[in-house]
Amino acid sequence: MTVHQLKKKLTSLLGQDNVLASREDLLCYAYDATKRVHVPEIVVFPGSVQEVSGIFRIASQARTPVVPRGAGSGMTGGALALQGGIVLAMNRFDQILEIDEDNLVAVVQPAVITGRLQRVVQEKGLFYPPDPASLDFSTLGGNIAENSGGLRAVKYGVTKDYVLGLEVVLPSGEVIQTGSKCVKDVVGYNLTQLLVGSEGTLGVVTRAILKLLPLPEAKQTLSAVFPDIHGAGRTVSEIIRRKVIPATIEFLDKNALWCVEHYLQLGLPESAGAFLLIEVDGDPAILEKEIRQVQSICEANQALKIEVAQDEKDQERLWKARRSVSASMAHYGAFKKINEDVVVPRASIPEFIKNVQEISRRFDVPVINFGHAGDGNIHVNVLVMKPEDEPRCHEAVEEIFARTVELGGRISGEHGIGVSKRDYIAKNLEPGVLELMKAIKKSFDPHNILNPNKMFP
Ligand code: MLT
Ligand code: ZN
């Protein structure tokens, strides 16, 4: 089928306004947060599950690739049309369909922005915990596809822990329902959890049933500055060992602090080598005790400066340093950054950081580390200062992956595999497991039309 014939069929299904094919329109759907560019041939905006199904029937017949897209904020290329074809833009699926306060669930469409659901349920005293740093612009559908984590994962887990059921359109055009509103459900294979984190390669989510929690009554936030990363690392281990589980334990290394300080001028001590942001939430009476315990652990590990937020404005100011890391890295003046999201067992963080520092020196490439210290998920940003350094930087990344695996870690904790890491997937998965995964892909998508060439080398 020619692109012209395909466009004609899609236009008669969706109407002219919901099909784009001009070069300037297509360019707007050719990128994501990886900054790679792959221009699709057609972009479509379905408005109902029947239309999504119809698009797949047409694409199946034409053997044309279909790439689902939410906000386009993914960090590993999941929404890129590597082989052209159709981009399935889910923007019109933006309704919160139900907040069921009796069963503590929300039923949503996939293009709802994560932060919007959080604000809506908060007004009812409820809580949707997954909070990727992108929560103000990424969508629930994208979060489900990538099984997004975030800053509260240490206590509350990640997206998969809140998905009870899905409505999904398969590459054949068939519409299936998985799971239910029931908290307990062991009927058959757990297809819901197979689809969560499948990076848009098995089916397209058109509706999701999400678990909610009661909103924690209060929270307390503390920041601590340390002379080096080791004091910060020991503090994290000690907090966990004492069985205090904060909602958030985030860290910034010396380079990340330098970037944030140049960006925001927060007045961090000159000798600062690491920064921790810790938040506890729950019953106010217990919180007082917990935050004092955290404070004394920081003191025992030679923190240079500790600040406990006195009110919400203070809390917001402390969070600003952490939230600004990605943006502030521009101050380093790099030509490009390679942003990894490796995860190691949390007790191994100090050793892992030591290894990364050694690799950074040996390959002579600047590295900025920050991330989710409470769950061992570190954003290792390898900075490519000039184009000719790029091969050396990729060698450094290979070594970082090797150290990660040696420490019992995984090459991705939250951004997924997509196209960025597909050549490295075998570092974590043995051949038999990879073959089983490819067989699963084939049984969902025998003609390989849904998001082809992602995840597997
Ligand atoms: C974060 O934790 O800030 C995000 O995963 C994004 C990033 O790595 O820049
Ligand atoms: Zn992150």
Side-chain angles (χ1 to χ4, degrees), residues 133 150-151 322 372 377 379 414-415:
L151 286 71
R322 166 60 180 91
H372 318 291
N377 183 198
H379 296 304
E414 58 181 6
H415 297 166

Side-chain angles (χ1 to χ4, degrees), residues 75 133 151 250 322 326 337 339-340 370 372 379 414-415:
M75 300 194 124
L151 286 71
E250 293 290 308
R322 166 60 180 91
S326 279
K337 70 178 163 85
N339 178 3
E340 298 303 344
F370 71 97
H372 318 291
H379 296 304
E414 58 181 6
H415 297 166

